[in-house]
Amino acid sequence: MPRIRTIKPEAFTSESLAEVNVAAERTFFGLLTQADDHGRHRDNAAIIAGLLWPLRAEHTSVHVEDDLHQLANAGLICRYTGCDGRRYLHIVTWSEHQKIDKPSQSRLPSCPQHQADTARAPRVGRRSPGHGSRRHRTSREVRSVARSDTWTPRPSPPRPVSSKLRRMLIRSTR
């Protein structure tokens, strides 16, 4: 599913991106928008050409295959075969450049060559819970707490009684 992603200004002075032609660079930027929250995508030039070059009939799947080959040679993407026998790719520096707040679980297999790199690294500057920081519970944590037998709701504080209600209560007790 396409997502809104960011491109850092440094991308335009990247030496590894400078190794590929402009069409391959555009394919790379397009892959950023099509990859899942872990930087993975199906490695199928026809699918990628249809997603990224739909209005450019002159840039066929053969051209996209060349783009992917250039990107792999420059070390920008890694192409691999999953356990299901299908071909996949992932953007090698994904975790350095894309910060996903609530990543969805990937439906695509991880790269066997970079499997350790696909784990989400902790963000610098964030305190871990228990170090004096207050953090909000995630919806998943709230659901698990709500389902557990040990959880009991806190009683709500007493509400102030309005003067009108107070008069009604006094009259009813007379």
Side-chain angles (χ1 to χ4, degrees):
M1 176 178 201
R3 303 265 197 270
I4 296 173
R5 304 290 188 199
T6 59
I7 299 172
K8 293 182 177 180
E10 298 87 38
F12 299 99
T13 58
S14 167
E15 292 179 8
S16 53
L17 269 174
E19 292 179 24
V20 302
N21 65 30
V22 175
E25 183 179 52
R26 178 177 169 181
T27 298
F28 178 75
F29 291 145
L31 283 172
L32 292 175
T33 67
Q34 298 298 320
D36 69 6
D37 289 346
H38 300 273
R40 301 177 196 153
H41 197 275
R42 286 286 314 273
D43 185 359
N44 185 318
I47 292 172
I48 294 170
L51 291 170
L52 303 181
W53 298 92
L55 301 177
R56 304 285 183 166
E58 70 276 7
H59 202 80
T60 65
S61 60
V62 173
H63 296 101
V64 171
E65 181 60 42
D66 181 54
D67 296 345
L68 296 174
H69 183 72
Q70 289 181 52
L71 294 169
N73 285 343
L76 295 164
I77 64 169
C78 181
R79 301 172 93 177
Y80 60 98
T81 303
C83 54
D84 57 359
R86 293 181 176 172
R87 292 182 358 204
Y88 299 94
L89 61 85
H90 78 94
I91 300 164
V92 175
T93 58
W94 179 263
S95 61
E96 294 172 32
H97 301 294
Q98 299 296 321
K99 303 299 181 208
I100 312 300
D101 288 330
K102 296 177 184 178
S104 59
Q105 186 139 6
S106 181
R107 295 179 180 172
L108 306 178
S110 60
C111 173
Q113 190 174 358
H114 299 98
Q115 197 161 14
D117 293 345
T118 59
R120 185 176 171 137
R123 290 192 183 174
V124 177
R126 284 200 175 174
R127 294 185 201 172
S128 62
H131 283 73
S133 66
R134 289 186 70 178
R135 81 175 177 90
H136 297 285
R137 289 184 174 162
T138 64
S139 58
R140 184 175 294 169
E141 289 171 321
V142 170
R143 284 194 301 270
S144 70
V145 168
R147 280 189 230 125
S148 74
D149 297 333
T150 59
W151 183 78
T152 55
R154 283 191 261 168
S156 58
R159 292 186 181 153
V161 179
S162 71
S163 59
K164 184 176 181 181
L165 181 61
R166 188 176 303 132
R167 281 185 297 226
M168 288 174 55
L169 290 171
I170 291 170
R171 285 184 201 151
S172 67
T173 57
R174 289 186 189 173

mmCIF file of all heavy atoms in Angstrom, residues 166-174:
data_model
loop_
_atom_site.group_PDB
_atom_site.id
_atom_site.type_symbol
_atom_site.label_atom_id
_atom_site.label_comp_id
_atom_site.label_asym_id
_atom_site.label_seq_id
_atom_site.Cartn_x
_atom_site.Cartn_y
_atom_site.Cartn_z
ATOM 1 N N ARG A 166 -28.976 19.491 45.454
ATOM 2 C CA ARG A 166 -28.921 19.458 46.903
ATOM 3 C C ARG A 166 -30.289 19.830 47.495
ATOM 4 O O ARG A 166 -30.781 19.175 48.415
ATOM 5 C CB ARG A 166 -27.844 20.422 47.422
ATOM 6 C CG ARG A 166 -27.627 20.287 48.906
ATOM 7 C CD ARG A 166 -26.491 21.183 49.421
ATOM 8 N NE ARG A 166 -25.245 20.895 48.725
ATOM 9 C CZ ARG A 166 -24.454 21.822 48.203
ATOM 10 N NH1 ARG A 166 -24.738 23.100 48.330
ATOM 11 N NH2 ARG A 166 -23.353 21.484 47.582
ATOM 12 N N ARG A 167 -30.937 20.887 46.957
ATOM 13 C CA ARG A 167 -32.259 21.309 47.440
ATOM 14 C C ARG A 167 -33.301 20.211 47.208
ATOM 15 O O ARG A 167 -34.147 19.941 48.061
ATOM 16 C CB ARG A 167 -32.704 22.587 46.764
ATOM 17 C CG ARG A 167 -32.051 23.830 47.354
ATOM 18 C CD ARG A 167 -32.641 25.040 46.709
ATOM 19 N NE ARG A 167 -32.309 24.963 45.273
ATOM 20 C CZ ARG A 167 -31.836 25.952 44.548
ATOM 21 N NH1 ARG A 167 -31.711 27.141 45.056
ATOM 22 N NH2 ARG A 167 -31.527 25.789 43.295
ATOM 23 N N MET A 168 -33.203 19.564 46.043
ATOM 24 C CA MET A 168 -34.152 18.484 45.755
ATOM 25 C C MET A 168 -33.975 17.330 46.730
ATOM 26 O O MET A 168 -34.939 16.729 47.181
ATOM 27 C CB MET A 168 -33.965 17.994 44.316
ATOM 28 C CG MET A 168 -34.452 18.979 43.278
ATOM 29 S SD MET A 168 -34.086 18.479 41.581
ATOM 30 C CE MET A 168 -34.806 16.886 41.487
ATOM 31 N N LEU A 169 -32.730 16.991 47.040
ATOM 32 C CA LEU A 169 -32.471 15.901 47.981
ATOM 33 C C LEU A 169 -32.982 16.239 49.370
ATOM 34 O O LEU A 169 -33.537 15.401 50.074
ATOM 35 C CB LEU A 169 -30.976 15.583 48.025
ATOM 36 C CG LEU A 169 -30.389 14.913 46.782
ATOM 37 C CD1 LEU A 169 -28.879 14.854 46.879
ATOM 38 C CD2 LEU A 169 -30.973 13.535 46.618
ATOM 39 N N ILE A 170 -32.802 17.483 49.789
ATOM 40 C CA ILE A 170 -33.263 17.903 51.113
ATOM 41 C C ILE A 170 -34.777 17.837 51.182
ATOM 42 O O ILE A 170 -35.355 17.365 52.152
ATOM 43 C CB ILE A 170 -32.746 19.322 51.443
ATOM 44 C CG1 ILE A 170 -31.236 19.287 51.636
ATOM 45 C CG2 ILE A 170 -33.430 19.886 52.692
ATOM 46 C CD1 ILE A 170 -30.590 20.634 51.738
ATOM 47 N N ARG A 171 -35.467 18.277 50.152
ATOM 48 C CA ARG A 171 -36.936 18.228 50.126
ATOM 49 C C ARG A 171 -37.460 16.800 50.171
ATOM 50 O O ARG A 171 -38.476 16.501 50.785
ATOM 51 C CB ARG A 171 -37.467 18.916 48.870
ATOM 52 C CG ARG A 171 -37.397 20.397 48.931
ATOM 53 C CD ARG A 171 -38.030 20.988 47.687
ATOM 54 N NE ARG A 171 -37.517 22.342 47.518
ATOM 55 C CZ ARG A 171 -37.380 22.945 46.375
ATOM 56 N NH1 ARG A 171 -37.704 22.343 45.243
ATOM 57 N NH2 ARG A 171 -36.925 24.174 46.302
ATOM 58 N N SER A 172 -36.770 15.916 49.451
ATOM 59 C CA SER A 172 -37.250 14.528 49.394
ATOM 60 C C SER A 172 -37.073 13.790 50.727
ATOM 61 O O SER A 172 -37.743 12.821 50.989
ATOM 62 C CB SER A 172 -36.557 13.754 48.282
ATOM 63 O OG SER A 172 -35.202 13.604 48.581
ATOM 64 N N THR A 173 -36.153 14.241 51.562
ATOM 65 C CA THR A 173 -35.938 13.578 52.843
ATOM 66 C C THR A 173 -36.854 14.130 53.940
ATOM 67 O O THR A 173 -36.947 13.556 55.004
ATOM 68 C CB THR A 173 -34.471 13.741 53.298
ATOM 69 O OG1 THR A 173 -34.154 15.124 53.360
ATOM 70 C CG2 THR A 173 -33.541 12.992 52.388
ATOM 71 N N ARG A 174 -37.555 15.223 53.725
ATOM 72 C CA ARG A 174 -38.456 15.806 54.735
ATOM 73 C C ARG A 174 -39.737 15.099 54.822
ATOM 74 O O ARG A 174 -40.388 14.474 54.233
ATOM 75 C CB ARG A 174 -38.724 17.284 54.434
ATOM 76 C CG ARG A 174 -37.537 18.105 54.701
ATOM 77 C CD ARG A 174 -37.920 19.531 54.516
ATOM 78 N NE ARG A 174 -36.739 20.370 54.548
ATOM 79 C CZ ARG A 174 -36.730 21.617 54.285
ATOM 80 N NH1 ARG A 174 -37.822 22.242 53.928
ATOM 81 N NH2 ARG A 174 -35.647 22.306 54.358
#
